[in-house]
Amino acid sequence: MNKNLNLSRRDLLKTSMATAAAAGLPVSSSLLAAEKHAPPPIGKAEHVVFLWLGGGPAQVDTFDPKVRGDAKKRIPGSYYDAIDTSVKGVQLCEHLTRTAKLMEHVALLRTVNHSVIDEHAAAINRMHTGRATSETVVYPSVGSIVAHERGPGGEGVPTYVVMGYPNLTRGPGFLGAKHGYIYLTETDVGPAGLTPPPGIGSDRQSRRNALLAKLREGYMAQHKGDEKVEDYAGIAADALKLTGPDFMSCFNLNEESKSLREAYGGEFGQRCLLARRLIQRGVRFIEVAQNLNFINGTGWDTHNDGQLKQHLLIQDLDQALATLITDLKTNKLLDKTVIAIAGEFGRPSAFDGGGGRGHQGAAFSCVLAGGGLKTGCAIGETDELCKTIVSRPISVPDFFATIFAAVGIDTNRNLFAGERPVPITDGGKPVAELFG
């Protein structure tokens, strides 16, 4: 059979509607209804690594390069030259050389957008929850939703880990503390609170745990039926399981070869290496922040002089990302793992008074890799200034719906804030081009 004729139901519907439209014929209401109610795609990935570029990377200097500009003369454009990649017609910034060679495993979403005022806190919330803040509901983060829907992928491991500082926007919201995260800021130490203080041996720790268990049982008996108390008790019990050597050994990166550790690069790269080890233990969702140690003075918030050494951040990202892709592939985990890359917004191609860039939420780039998706593409097009979307806009809920679908979550289902149904995304649809 000619593979070009092997269309999915969704493809057939779209082809039928496009043919009718091209011929000037009215599109059947039944066709429109069928497309509207077509089942969402369901992928087979099992894990997500969310690389968080806090501050907001300039898409024009990374994943959506344009004609070269000039900061000194205030001529809008890219700060760097563009280079070809392993995918014909798709270019990246010249400092993404390693990633360019692996472009067949990467999908660039160049037209992500949101309407949030270009202020960091509100945009960070939007890029973690997919929704505006509410006075009545605290919405869960993308990580907590994956944790809630998929559960732990192994015995004695958390579902959700954040390598960065704790923040409400990364939390479980109305899903409850059970679907929250554990966090760490140092890869070689592990999560705070899971390592006994100096001088506390295993026997003494066991006695403490036994005493704590009795106190907890008594308190639960006094508050029988209180869901919050029961959730807290469950979390405490799960946390105790994580303090054992089985899980904590995951943070001993010295078990990896020196050559692999060097290939990953600096602190951000070591976090990415740890993410791979956490995946092997069964952790479902891992957020890895790059901005804990600013190597250019400002992180991705490249106002003024932050622009001058932005290439160091890009090179750091390039090294870690390319090695993560290769390492996952070597361990036969790439198709099982969605790598997602995002910041709170992008940046305009125009330069500010100090030679840097401001904020822009109207059009920016996010990235997906691996996960069994149809990668090796750039989806969406922006104008010559990277300011306006020309074709194929992608909303933040669409971006989240794509992640959910890739890990086998039904994007049509509802979550529940008490008895109130809440759609799993705010009207998002998976990016159909990434599913076969």
Side-chain angles (χ1 to χ4, degrees), residues 100-314:
K101 296 174 183 178
L102 299 169
M103 189 64 217
E104 67 272 18
H105 300 299
V106 179
L108 306 176
L109 308 182
R110 287 176 165 169
T111 52
V112 179
N113 63 93
H114 57 59
S115 59
V116 179
I117 187 171
D118 293 328
E119 186 272 325
H120 290 282
I124 290 170
N125 178 77
R126 182 63 63 92
M127 291 303 297
H128 277 84
T129 67
R131 288 178 161 91
T133 55
S134 167
E135 295 182 359
T136 58
V137 178
V138 179
Y139 292 108
S141 67
V142 57
S144 287
I145 292 175
V146 171
H148 177 267
E149 293 297 301
R150 292 301 309 263
E155 187 67 30
V157 298
T159 53
Y160 179 16
V161 173
V162 170
M163 296 187 212
Y165 295 112
N167 186 290
L168 180 65
T169 64
R170 293 164 172 82
F174 64 71
L175 292 178
K178 181 180 179 181
H179 305 292
Y181 56 84
I182 64 170
Y183 78 96
L184 61 128
T185 57
E186 298 180 47
T187 53
D188 57 345
V189 175
L194 295 187
T195 304
I200 304 297
S202 58
D203 290 342
R204 188 175 178 185
Q205 186 64 45
S206 295
R207 292 196 300 272
R208 287 183 167 194
N209 292 344
L211 176 59
L212 182 61
K214 288 182 179 180
L215 292 172
R216 186 182 302 117
E217 288 173 4
Y219 190 81
M220 288 181 66
Q222 295 174 20
H223 298 82
K224 195 171 183 179
D226 189 321
E227 290 186 8
K228 290 184 178 180
V229 173
E230 291 175 355
D231 281 351
Y232 179 82
I235 293 167
D238 290 342
L240 284 178
K241 296 177 184 177
L242 302 182
T243 61
D246 289 344
F247 177 65
M248 293 304 293
S249 65
C250 186
F251 301 95
N252 183 11
L253 298 184
N254 288 325
E255 292 180 349
E256 301 290 340
S257 69
K258 181 180 178 182
S259 61
L260 182 61
R261 292 198 66 175
E262 290 177 348
Y264 268 101
E267 176 62 19
F268 178 61
Q270 300 309 300
R271 295 189 194 110
C272 290
L273 171 56
L274 177 56
R276 190 266 289 162
R277 290 171 64 86
L278 290 169
I279 286 169
Q280 290 177 310
R281 299 301 176 92
V283 179
R284 290 292 188 193
F285 192 100
I286 304 131
E287 178 175 325
V288 183
Q290 189 186 12
N291 64 345
L292 289 180
N293 298 309
F294 293 158
I295 59 177
N296 68 329
T298 66
W300 290 103
D301 194 18
T302 53
H303 299 285
N304 304 318
D305 290 344
Q307 186 76 23
L308 298 177
K309 294 184 178 181
Q310 180 188 220
H311 63 281
L312 298 178
L313 272 181
I314 301 171

